[in-house]
Amino acid sequence: MSAHQSKSSFSEKSTPMAFRDTVKRAEQLVETSMKGNDASHDAPHVWRVRDLALSLAREEGLSSNPDSMEIVELAALLHDVGDYKYLRDPSEEKLVENFLEEEGIAESKKIKILNIIKGMGFKDELAGVGNQEFPPEFGVVQDADRLDAIGAIGIARCFTFGGNRNRVLHDPAIQSRLDLSKEHYMKKEEQTTVNHFHEKLLKLKDLMKTKAGLRRAEKRHKVMEEFLKQFYVEWDGKA
């Protein structure tokens, strides 16, 4: 039996020690591959999403299944590795798949993890992918990522990303694109940071897949509504 085969077989047993070693290496991959990203899509974002996903998974009753929790943790950790918005080299698109292969992750788990990552983006929801049936692991990971996009953290990340792309804060002459297609959403046309709230962030609460995610999203959604209300008053010089 080759070393690779032995590692693969060992991984399928999902021993806690072996899995924690895989998690450590996944964390290292996150730190190295996302090192040059701005603070809206950096390693701390991934740590928050991982913590949120595991918390949601427990609330949704997934903790009784160790395989599900492993899928959730790895998918959450790896979900932004090779993100199209930050690609520096085409080879980065294969980083996650190569990592799972090298770690000897069981084929069934690997497929689930890759499917979660490939289908969890807002652009995929616009394309109709998000309307299909989904496994519970997908729901908690996607909800966790979306929770980090809204509320106080979401506001901070939104303006960080907009500043990195040299977008203006707000321009009343530029209307938000409320009826977006996937292709339209991905176009790098002139847009404002505040419009991103209307085009995406304020829609996320109603797109939550889990009850646990929705409960948290409702509070974060209100934080954004209050922020925007105050923002427009101050923009008009009325406060």
Side-chain angles (χ1 to χ4, degrees), residues 49-113:
V49 171
R50 187 254 304 270
D51 292 344
L52 279 167
L54 291 174
S55 178
L56 294 177
R58 287 189 287 269
E59 289 184 45
E60 291 291 311
L62 298 185
S63 57
S64 60
N65 187 333
D67 284 348
S68 287
M69 297 300 282
E70 291 181 5
I71 290 168
V72 166
E73 184 162 12
L74 283 179
L77 280 173
L78 301 170
H79 80 277
D80 266 346
V81 173
D83 185 345
Y84 78 96
K85 297 188 294 296
Y86 294 90
L87 282 183
R88 301 166 184 86
D89 186 279
S91 65
E92 293 180 357
E93 293 180 328
K94 290 288 186 179
L95 280 175
V96 173
E97 192 170 346
N98 292 341
F99 172 82
L100 296 174
E101 190 72 29
E102 291 167 4
E103 289 297 318
I105 300 299
E107 187 68 17
S108 59
K109 285 185 182 178
K110 184 176 77 172
I111 291 172
K112 288 180 180 178
I113 292 167

Side-chain angles (χ1 to χ4, degrees), residues 97-193:
E97 192 170 346
N98 292 341
F99 172 82
L100 296 174
E101 190 72 29
E102 291 167 4
E103 289 297 318
I105 300 299
E107 187 68 17
S108 59
K109 285 185 182 178
K110 184 176 77 172
I111 291 172
K112 288 180 180 178
I113 292 167
L114 291 174
N115 284 342
I116 290 171
I117 293 171
K118 289 175 182 176
M120 65 186 285
F122 184 67
K123 66 184 187 302
D124 300 300
E125 193 103 24
L126 292 172
V129 176
N131 296 325
Q132 300 173 6
E133 291 186 11
F134 55 88
E137 297 90 352
F138 175 87
V140 297
V141 177
Q142 186 185 63
D143 281 5
D145 188 40
R146 289 179 170 180
L147 283 171
D148 204 59
I150 60 179
I153 287 286
I155 293 169
R157 290 182 64 214
C158 185
F159 283 98
T160 297
F161 184 81
N164 180 260
R165 300 302 165 100
N166 282 326
R167 290 179 178 170
V168 297
L169 291 179
H170 176 52
D171 184 344
I174 302 176
Q175 297 296 308
S176 56
R177 306 163 299 174
L178 298 181
D179 189 20
L180 280 174
S181 64
K182 177 180 177 179
E183 293 71 26
H184 204 180
Y185 176 75
M186 293 177 69
K187 279 185 178 179
K188 297 179 180 179
E189 59 187 44
E190 182 182 15
Q191 200 46 259
T192 75
T193 296

Side-chain angles (χ1 to χ4, degrees), residues 19-39:
F19 179 69
R20 293 327 301 174
D21 287 342
T22 292
V23 166
K24 287 180 181 179
R25 287 188 286 271
E27 291 170 344
Q28 291 168 356
L29 176 62
V30 167
E31 290 180 333
T32 56
S33 66
M34 300 177 67
K35 188 176 181 180
N37 292 6
D38 65 79

